[in-house]
Amino acid sequence: MRSLVVLVVFLSVTAGALLLLQSGRSQAQLRAEVLEQAKQRSTNLSDAMAGQVQGLFNAIDVALIQVRREWLEHGLGPSLEEAARDALATLPQGLVTHVVMTDAEGWVVFNSLGVSNRVNLGDRDYFQQHLAGGDRAVIGQPGRSRLNGQWVFSVSRPLWRNGRFAGTLHFTMPTEALAAWLARLKLSPEDVVALIAADGNILARSVGNAEAMGQRIPDDRPFMVASTAVSGLYRERGHVDQVLRTFGWHRIPGSGAVLVVGISDAGVLRPLEPLFQRSSWIAAALSVLIGAFGALIAVLLWRVAKSQAEAGESEERLKEAQQLAHLGNWEYDVASDRLYWSDEIYRIFGMDPLGEPITLARYMACVHPEDRKPMTALYRDVSQPDKLHDAEHRIVMPDGQIKYVRELWVNECKDGQLVRNRGTLQDIDKIHTAQLALKQLNGKLEQRVEERTRELGAVNQELEAFAYSVSHDLRTPLRSIHGFATLLEEACKDIPGEATVYLQRIQHAASRMGVLITDLLSMAHHSRAPLHHQFVDLSAMAREIKAELEQGDPQRRVQWDIEDGLSVQADPTLIRVVLQNFLSNAWKYSRHADAPKISLTRSEHDNGVQEFCVRDNGAGFDMAYAEQLFQPFKRLHTNQQFEGSGVGLATVQRVVQRHGGAVRGKGAVGQGAAFCFSLPDKPFAEQAVEA
């Protein structure tokens, strides 16, 4: 008996310890799940906010180009002031305070605020970058404004006149205004949205912006280490306030700036702290109860050998155990129509154990009307004697409340007649409520994902329409520039030779810009044109393009290898754009090869997908820059080496993706290149992907 008592105490202590351990594990698992959700949330938010910031900087760049065009046409004067006002009116109010123009030495020659004091900006980093050459937009480092002392940064473009650097044009953005714009994303007070320049300087921060100014992100951050990476995730303490956060980041194309969204651990876990406290108290209480229960059982076991009268105390403890588990037992005798319930079942049903005796009819009156008929049939089932029945159903409480219960019972039969039912009944109302809440939460999450997908689709359509409209609007001024330059060259036959060269360069630049706009329009058109699938003979189409290329340059001799029998289901017009770009590039970049070779072959056919490759032995390219191949206007060779606009491969990628395929390129400098694209055998439903 003593050994039995020791065993009971040991098991009780072990059970209590396991309960506390399991409670701690559950809390740790819940923390890990919530932090994992924070990772996904920060990733999604950074992706969405990066798209908005990119759209904002694109709008600013368009406004810069408009003001610069006005300066080129009319110089300084009222028209430039009006153009600056119009450009600022197109941007969010307060985000850009004023427009500034400097001369080639850095002196301010125009300020849309009307400030007349002489200021030199030649020491600014963006001025030095423009002075070094190029025509790209530059985001400058934050610094104190020499006009009002505020923290500002500039988005600028260079000014060129007659091929010479003539100064800079920039829009001044207060960091506080951009910080307020970023703070539109409603997060907890500990969360942060920040815009980081490519060199690591903080441009704006949704909270604590003033403290963040002049600070630079450490070089060990992932987006600083991998300068070509597009997006990522990391968990670190904030550089400004040392708050532990999960950071999702996304690099903005073109500028190289990084949009960072940090979700703080404290903000995510704070709503769970009351739950953790209650869970800890409950686990501790249950552990104490288990220990006490074990001690009581040990005492009862010790005393049971002395007195049978103490058995009643053991039964009372059993009732307490049933109450803790919300589980009661029952027995129904068919002959007497009497139903025995334990005290816990009375408590579950909200009835008085000392009241009217329970019969089967009275019990069935408590069962929900919709569940009454199937439960009656199960109680009277004699087809499988001694079978364990398991059923969940609803009961109606005296106050009208609906509660879910679960029953396990056995129907005892004799000579094919029902004699007795015995089983247990458990209150599962809280479990059912939790399951229903989880189901509703999953439904809301799916709805939010569908809404976000529709929003992204709408944004993509708006961006394509914007590019198409801007390209159309640029055609007329370009024709005017080219036409007037031609007329000026013809009218001034006796001008110096150097001026003639300038005019020819203007004509050449205008023509090249026209080609660029045409390619941009083509890309927008091919991105929006409807797909008409039919069988296409790629081999025959490639030979037609080959003939056109040879007709355009009959002096060249190229060894062609076009595989026979290549065919797919695709839009013939759009797939011709793919072959035209790949074969034309192979023709162009193999121009300087001693024995140029161009081939079109099928490299793979597996799982309903075919892959075709166009190869050449021409100039090739460095694989370190392979990610830029299919980005608009990203060229790996200068226009003097090989002519082109940098839009063709971007158009190809969009066309192939619309067909449900993928495109890739590989090569080596001086050893040729291979461009491969895959297409499915069956027509691809583009709308399913975009939805």
Side-chain angles (χ1 to χ4, degrees), residues 54 67 134 149 155 227 283 295 382 389 438 491 552 573 669:
Q54 182 180 359
V67 176
V155 180
S227 59
V382 295
H389 293 273
L438 181 60
T573 302
V669 176

Side-chain angles (χ1 to χ4, degrees), residues 125 139-142 196-203 216-217 219 224 256:
D125 63 303
I139 299 177
Q141 296 180 358
I196 313 297
D199 59 0
N201 284 294
I202 300 177
L203 296 177
R216 186 178 182 276
I217 295 299
D219 293 334
M224 298 294 292

Side-chain angles (χ1 to χ4, degrees), residues 347-368:
R347 190 195 65 77
I348 292 174
F349 278 74
M351 294 183 178
D352 184 3
L354 302 179
E356 182 181 351
I358 300 297
T359 63
L360 183 62
R362 187 182 176 194
Y363 163 70
M364 284 297 175
C366 297
V367 177
H368 194 279

